[in-house]
Amino acid sequence: MLAILMRRGSWVTAGFLADQLGVTPRSVRSYVTAINAQAASGDAIESGPQGYRATPAASGLTRDDLEPDRGTPRERLRGLVRMLLDAREGLSVYAAAEALHVSESTIEGDLRRVRGLLTRSDLRFERAGEVVRLEGSELARRRLVSTIVHDEMSDAGFDPGIMSRAAESMRIPAGAFDAMHEDLVEELRREGSVDELAIADVVLHIAIAAERVRRGYALEGEGEADPQVERVGAALDAVGRAHLGVVWGSGDRRHLAALALLAVDGSAGGSAGADPVVRAAVRTALSRASATYRVALDDPAFEERLAVHVQNLADRSREQVWSRNPMTRSLKSASPLLFEMSVAVSGVLSSALGLTIPDDEIANIAMHLGGAIAPARAASARLTATIVWPGAFEQPRARLREAIEASLGHDIDVVATVTGAAPDWGGIESDLVIATVEPPAGAPLDRVVQIPPFPTDRDIAAVADAAGRVRRQRRLAGLRAEFARWFAPGAFLVDVDPATPQDELIRRLAAPLVADGVIDEAYVESAIEREQLSSTAFTESLAVPHALTMSATRTAIALAVSEQAIPWGPERVQVVAFAAFSEADRASFQAVFEQFVDVFASPENARRLARKGRDLPSFLTELAALIDG
């Protein structure tokens, strides 16, 4: 709950929190009381008529502060893993039970959880009677620790110090994380541009290595290393001694130096750039994305930059060095089509290169794509504007135009100036009207913004706000016209059981469309596969499962709405819109996809639709009301 409040940064209703947490509003009030009782420097959550919001005191709370008893099974699992990592000759189940003060049956249950962790590692679980052991390399053991720490981090994203605390949960000394981070970045800048999003994970691996070396598990190293690796290794010697009190052997020094270089842009692949296999995969992925989304992605320089990034991603993936992107959530909700293009590109890369690409890395690829296509999209999104300033005050009028163009020229194109004493308000055809006089009754006030002749920064901001309203209203008006045509009348579910598995709900929503011949079973399976690449919960209220192809005979949307939020990936949503897109409607795909998500940017909109939209006609009525107002 605290993660939601800190992420949103504004008032959140008790009803929304209850939906997101799967509890009652009464439980939310209890949670608020419990959290505030743990805050040493004043209440962490403020209550008011609009609901609840986090205060500055919230940032000082950790998960252990809030739920000290919650970590007991988790801490036992950590302890068991630590014992297994150190017991090269094997660990007795009875000895583990005695050391952790639990029964043998409890340890057996924990061992089953350990086996689950090993599915993501190169370690093997072996057992002979009461003795269990982990078989595998020292690197594989360190990567298992990294996996556990990352799991801890993903479970508490609101905490800015979560990486160090998650590391300490595995007895990894993390007190020097920030200072070590700064020193390492300074040293690596001598080698090139440093990826600040990836360097934090490198610091984690260095801390894990230091703890393993202290316990007598160093890496062996032989032969000569690359000169660049030797330079960075020398820097790591200084960092290790200063912050961790450890002296690296040659094996650890070279290994950690190679990891650190993964956070230096352009170092992947050396001077030759990306591997030919990676280049070919990137070329294929961009070609398919260009054909599907009708965007130009054939610039050789861009293709090379992305190939080098993917080469680096492949190298980091092998070492489990991940780049956590703090913009992933906002990018996914604000630019869903861009994120969707990145998912499509990532899917091709994943299959071709055998990579597992998490959401943060998909967001990083989206940043590359957005940089390549954003200028063209921005140019097409500019609004036209007319300045209405009656009279002959030419010089101040020109200054007003200059002020608007200087601040908003990227958004607004001033195409005309009206100077007459009685402007024909109805005859002005531009998207926006910027007036220095009050418009008469009956003027199109939805696109008129009144400012003084000598505007302040606040007045310029008012023009920008008006432009945003006009742009959004036009987008949504176009979407409203499409809704009645595309929503499938016989494909509407109400109050779905929250325990329904995602795959099952997708099949239930798709069934009427399959029966009508809109899609086939292959499209349904493709939608399920798409969901495995990245959750289609684009906001905290809406999921839009769909396939990556546009193979439907016509575009149709099947809906499921529920007052009780449905778990969907990392979110809990109240509307699930299964979308079947057709090739013939390709031109409308962007409008439908992005604007539909835009409607649900407000959680209150979703709650209203789930509460009042009990069938398709009433749902469309409420949706139209939200769009219009």
Side-chain angles (χ1 to χ4, degrees):
M1 185 174 77
L2 194 58
I4 294 171
L5 290 171
M6 293 186 70
R7 185 169 66 239
R8 296 188 66 81
S10 58
W11 291 103
V12 179
T13 66
F16 174 72
L17 289 171
D19 289 336
Q20 289 296 301
L21 300 171
V23 298
T24 66
R26 181 177 180 179
S27 294
V28 169
R29 291 192 292 272
S30 298
Y31 293 168
V32 171
T33 301
I35 289 172
N36 284 339
Q38 297 296 330
S41 56
D43 286 351
I45 298 176
E46 179 184 1
S47 304
Q50 296 173 277
Y52 303 101
R53 66 178 176 184
T55 71
S59 61
L61 291 174
T62 69
R63 182 177 52 209
D64 290 338
D65 292 331
L66 300 177
E67 301 177 82
D69 296 332
R70 175 176 178 268
T72 301
R74 187 193 298 263
E75 176 57 32
R76 192 176 62 243
L77 180 65
R78 298 171 189 150
L80 184 58
V81 170
R82 290 194 298 267
M83 294 166 70
L84 285 167
L85 288 173
D86 286 344
R88 295 296 181 126
E89 302 303 319
L91 175 68
S92 164
V93 171
Y94 304 118
E98 182 177 356
L100 297 173
H101 309 291
V102 294
S103 67
E104 289 86 355
S105 61
T106 299
I107 292 295
E108 293 289 356
D110 289 341
L111 288 173
R112 286 192 289 273
R113 296 172 64 193
V114 171
R115 287 193 186 96
L117 290 173
L118 297 185
T119 60
R120 294 179 285 165
S121 80
D122 293 326
L123 295 172
R124 301 186 309 278
F125 185 92
E126 295 188 356
R127 182 165 187 166
E130 69 176 79
V131 178
V132 294
R133 65 169 54 86
L134 299 181
E135 290 291 338
S137 68
E138 171 59 23
L139 274 180
R141 293 169 188 270
R142 296 182 184 186
R143 289 168 184 161
L144 176 61
V145 177
S146 172
T147 296
I148 295 173
V149 172
H150 280 101
D151 287 348
E152 295 273 326
M153 291 164 60
S154 64
D155 199 29
F158 68 86
D159 190 345
I162 185 58
M163 176 173 281
S164 60
R165 275 186 282 275
E168 288 171 343
S169 74
M170 282 301 292
R171 306 287 171 83
I172 305 301
F177 262 38
D178 291 341
M180 184 163 55
H181 182 285
E182 293 177 7
D183 284 0
L184 185 59
V185 168
E186 184 177 350
E187 293 291 345
L188 289 178
R189 281 183 178 146
R190 305 175 194 275
E191 305 298 328
S193 176
V194 178
D195 180 356
E196 293 277 1
L197 298 178
I199 197 65
D201 235 33
V202 173
V203 171
L204 170 64
H205 281 263
I206 293 173
I208 292 172
E211 179 61 14
R212 295 296 291 172
V213 167
R214 285 196 194 94
R215 302 176 74 84
Y217 302 109
L219 297 179
E220 296 181 359
E222 298 178 358
E224 296 183 0
D226 177 271
Q228 187 181 34
V229 170
E230 291 290 2
R231 286 198 307 271
V232 174
L236 285 171
D237 276 337
V239 170
R241 285 193 299 269
H243 299 293
L244 299 171
V246 66
V247 176
W248 308 115
S250 61
D252 279 292
R253 183 188 305 111
R254 292 173 182 176
H255 171 68
L256 294 175
L259 288 187
L261 284 169
L262 293 177
V264 178
D265 289 347
S267 66
S271 59
D275 183 273
V277 175
V278 171
R279 278 204 184 95
V282 168
R283 190 174 302 113
T284 299
L286 292 180
S287 175
R288 292 184 186 178
S290 295
T292 301
Y293 300 99
R294 294 288 173 89
V295 292
L297 295 172
D298 54 357
D299 177 17
F302 166 69
E303 182 182 306
E304 178 62 21
R305 288 195 303 272
L306 183 59
V308 170
H309 173 82
V310 173
Q311 178 71 67
N312 179 269
L313 169 59
D315 294 340
R316 287 189 290 108
S317 176
R318 283 191 292 272
E319 299 295 343
Q320 293 187 359
V321 174
W322 301 112
S323 176
R324 300 192 84 202
N325 192 330
M327 297 173 284
T328 298
R329 181 183 291 271
S330 60
L331 178 68
K332 194 171 184 179
S333 59
S335 305
L337 184 64
L338 178 61
F339 192 85
E340 192 62 20
M341 289 171 56
S342 184
V343 171
V345 169
S346 299
V348 175
L349 297 175
S350 179
S351 298
L353 303 175
L355 297 176
T356 298
I357 305 179
D359 267 15
D360 282 346
E361 298 289 356
I362 292 175
N364 292 339
I365 292 175
M367 302 298 283
H368 280 270
L369 295 174
I373 65 176
R377 293 184 62 191
S380 65
R382 295 177 71 194
L383 297 177
T384 58
T386 296
I387 294 177
V388 176
W389 182 328
F393 305 100
E394 184 173 345
Q395 187 173 13
R397 186 166 54 233
R399 289 181 177 174
L400 171 63
R401 178 169 184 159
E402 289 172 0
I404 292 172
E405 291 177 338
S407 300
L408 304 174
H410 60 288
D411 244 1
I412 296 173
D413 182 15
V414 178
V415 295
T417 301
V418 176
T419 61
D424 178 11
W425 297 90
I428 299 176
E429 297 181 351
S430 60
D431 300 318
L432 196 65
V433 180
I434 304 169
T436 59
V437 295
E438 184 176 354
L445 299 180
D446 59 328
R447 60 190 181 94
V448 176
V449 56
Q450 183 182 352
I451 63 173
F454 303 99
T456 64
D457 289 345
R458 183 176 61 182
D459 300 317
I460 296 296
V463 175
D465 290 343
R469 287 196 304 273
V470 169
R471 185 178 289 108
R472 184 172 187 273
Q473 196 65 23
R474 290 194 172 190
R475 287 200 313 266
L476 294 179
L479 179 61
R480 180 183 178 183
E482 300 286 356
F483 277 162
R485 180 164 71 94
W486 284 351
F487 280 116
F492 191 91
L493 303 177
V494 179
D495 292 338
V496 175
D497 183 355
T500 305
Q502 285 184 187
D503 291 5
E504 180 181 332
L505 183 53
I506 289 175
R507 296 184 193 281
R508 286 180 61 188
L509 286 169
L513 305 185
V514 173
D516 288 346
V518 176
I519 55 175
D520 56 17
E521 290 295 342
Y523 188 97
V524 181
E525 294 304 320
S526 179
I528 292 172
E529 291 174 6
R530 158 64 186 85
E531 201 69 43
Q532 294 169 352
L533 294 173
S534 174
S535 170
T536 56
F538 289 95
T539 72
E540 294 170 313
S541 309
L542 171 73
V544 190
H546 59 281
L548 287 173
T549 59
M550 298 185 184
S551 56
T553 58
R554 62 180 175 85
T555 295
I557 300 175
L559 283 169
V561 297
S562 177
E563 287 195 73
Q564 187 175 3
I566 304 166
W568 201 272
E571 308 289 353
R572 295 177 65 87
V573 302
Q574 291 186 287
V575 178
V576 179
F578 176 82
F581 292 107
S582 74
E583 182 75 19
D585 294 314
R586 180 195 299 270
S588 302
F589 172 77
Q590 177 175 336
V592 172
F593 196 73
E594 291 199 324
Q595 294 169 22
F596 192 55
V597 173
D598 192 24
V599 172
F600 290 90
S602 166
E604 292 305 313
N605 286 357
R607 296 188 69 233
R608 172 176 167 175
L609 286 166
R611 185 175 66 254
K612 295 185 176 182
R614 310 309 291 171
D615 52 34
L616 185 57
S618 61
F619 182 89
L620 292 176
T621 298
E622 291 301 320
L623 191 58
L626 288 173
I627 290 173
D628 291 340

